[in-house]
Amino acid sequence: MTNIFQTTQPTPDEPVSAYEILVAGPHIHDGSAERAKTKTKLKQDQKWNGMFQMLLEYKANHGHCNVQRDYRTKSGIQFGEWVTKQRTYKRKGSLDARRVTLLEQAGFSWNINDMKWDEICNLLMKYRAKHGDFDVRDHHVEEGKQLGYWVRKQRNLKRLGVLKKSRVVRLEEAGFPWKSNYTLMHGHT
């Protein structure tokens, strides 16, 4: 048994009993805690790197990193949850800077609402390229998205003064009219 009153720390090969830790306190240390932390960190890094590789594969197959929260891989891995947690960790400031950089280089979007807005705005630009105008009927659906409703909502948000300035600028730069042709012809707001 190690002398609990010794002034030097035991060597890493010298075992420390539970009794010694209880009597002498947690300052008795054999290096095993650091080794366990290092081992745990390596396992976490390996798991994260594996999930990141899955994200890159997902992007290669789908063209984006916008994984839905409930998405599971064929093997049952809750991949959408992992993606959502990365956003949460970043928002809380607990995501390692190297991981943030890797995700950003992969095209990862941190703000899901901005991402969805950009996606529908891009559909609106495709609509204008195809039809030559922004006269989208209220119930018009484009690629499964309710584009007509979205256009009406942007106009209402602008009228109320709550549409983000960056979104107003993007739409105005594209020539988006804040009043629909129907409103202009019939005088309704």
Side-chain angles (χ1 to χ4, degrees):
M1 181 175 198
T2 305
N3 178 355
I4 62 171
F5 301 105
Q6 69 187 19
T7 56
T8 59
Q9 294 289 331
T11 65
D13 298 329
E14 195 176 340
V16 178
S17 72
Y19 174 77
E20 290 172 310
I21 292 173
L22 185 64
V23 172
H27 65 277
I28 291 183
H29 143 16
D30 66 358
S32 62
E34 277 74 25
R35 285 194 300 274
K37 282 182 185 177
T38 301
K39 194 173 185 180
T40 300
K41 175 84 169 104
L42 287 173
K43 282 183 179 180
Q44 289 171 343
D45 285 347
Q46 287 174 341
K47 183 177 179 180
W48 192 92
N49 290 336
M51 297 298 273
F52 179 70
Q53 286 303 315
M54 289 175 64
L55 180 66
L56 295 177
E57 290 171 19
Y58 182 94
K59 182 179 181 181
N61 292 329
H62 297 88
H64 58 78
C65 297
N66 309 327
V67 183
Q68 291 189 353
R69 184 183 191 120
D70 61 351
Y71 180 82
R72 289 179 182 253
T73 64
K74 290 179 183 175
S75 60
I77 296 171
Q78 295 179 335
F79 187 57
E81 284 292 322
W82 180 84
V83 169
T84 300
K85 284 179 182 178
Q86 303 316 298
R87 289 187 180 102
T88 302
Y89 295 150
K90 167 109 174 7
R91 188 176 62 251
K92 291 181 176 182
S94 61
L95 187 61
D96 179 79
R98 182 186 64 84
R99 291 178 177 177
V100 170
T101 300
L102 288 171
L103 289 165
E104 287 175 350
Q105 288 173 347
F108 194 84
S109 179
W110 297 110
N111 187 320
I112 199 78
N113 293 327
D114 286 345
M115 179 189 67
K116 288 178 180 178
W117 190 92
D118 288 340
E119 179 185 355
I120 298 178
C121 186
N122 289 335
L123 287 176
L124 178 62
M125 298 310 145
K126 285 182 187 178
Y127 180 93
R128 184 195 57 184
K130 182 177 178 181
H131 300 280
D133 58 44
F134 290 105
D135 296 331
V136 184
R137 298 201 179 256
D138 282 351
H139 300 291
H140 181 79
V141 174
E142 193 78 26
E143 296 182 21
K145 309 288 184 200
Q146 295 182 351
L147 185 59
Y149 168 77
W150 184 87
V151 166
R152 183 169 26 106
K153 183 177 178 183
Q154 303 317 298
R155 288 182 172 130
N156 285 335
L157 292 172
K158 166 77 163 60
R159 184 177 50 80
L160 295 171
V162 294
L163 186 61
K164 286 183 180 179
K165 177 86 172 140
S166 60
R167 293 177 178 180
V168 170
V169 168
R170 182 166 174 197
L171 289 168
E172 286 179 348
E173 286 176 349
F176 182 78
W178 291 108
K179 294 191 181 227
S180 70
N181 278 341
Y182 179 84
T183 301
L184 293 173
M185 291 186 322
H186 301 289
H188 301 284
T189 57

mmCIF file of all heavy atoms in Angstrom, residues 56 75 121 141:
data_model
loop_
_atom_site.group_PDB
_atom_site.id
_atom_site.type_symbol
_atom_site.label_atom_id
_atom_site.label_comp_id
_atom_site.label_asym_id
_atom_site.label_seq_id
_atom_site.Cartn_x
_atom_site.Cartn_y
_atom_site.Cartn_z
ATOM 1 N N LEU A 56 -20.415 15.084 -45.683
ATOM 2 C CA LEU A 56 -19.830 15.303 -47.011
ATOM 3 C C LEU A 56 -20.454 14.362 -48.053
ATOM 4 O O LEU A 56 -20.717 14.767 -49.184
ATOM 5 C CB LEU A 56 -18.311 15.130 -46.963
ATOM 6 C CG LEU A 56 -17.562 16.148 -46.107
ATOM 7 C CD1 LEU A 56 -16.062 15.824 -46.086
ATOM 8 C CD2 LEU A 56 -17.793 17.571 -46.593
ATOM 9 N N SER A 75 -28.697 2.719 -41.831
ATOM 10 C CA SER A 75 -28.278 1.898 -40.688
ATOM 11 C C SER A 75 -28.890 2.379 -39.368
ATOM 12 O O SER A 75 -28.578 1.852 -38.311
ATOM 13 C CB SER A 75 -26.748 1.869 -40.583
ATOM 14 O OG SER A 75 -26.237 3.172 -40.417
ATOM 15 N N CYS A 121 -36.468 32.264 -52.139
ATOM 16 C CA CYS A 121 -36.137 33.446 -52.939
ATOM 17 C C CYS A 121 -35.516 33.013 -54.271
ATOM 18 O O CYS A 121 -35.826 33.585 -55.325
ATOM 19 C CB CYS A 121 -35.197 34.360 -52.166
ATOM 20 S SG CYS A 121 -34.885 35.925 -53.004
ATOM 21 N N VAL A 141 -47.578 26.890 -56.509
ATOM 22 C CA VAL A 141 -46.587 26.031 -55.874
ATOM 23 C C VAL A 141 -45.470 25.784 -56.879
ATOM 24 O O VAL A 141 -45.730 25.472 -58.045
ATOM 25 C CB VAL A 141 -47.213 24.692 -55.426
ATOM 26 C CG1 VAL A 141 -46.154 23.738 -54.898
ATOM 27 C CG2 VAL A 141 -48.293 24.937 -54.386
#
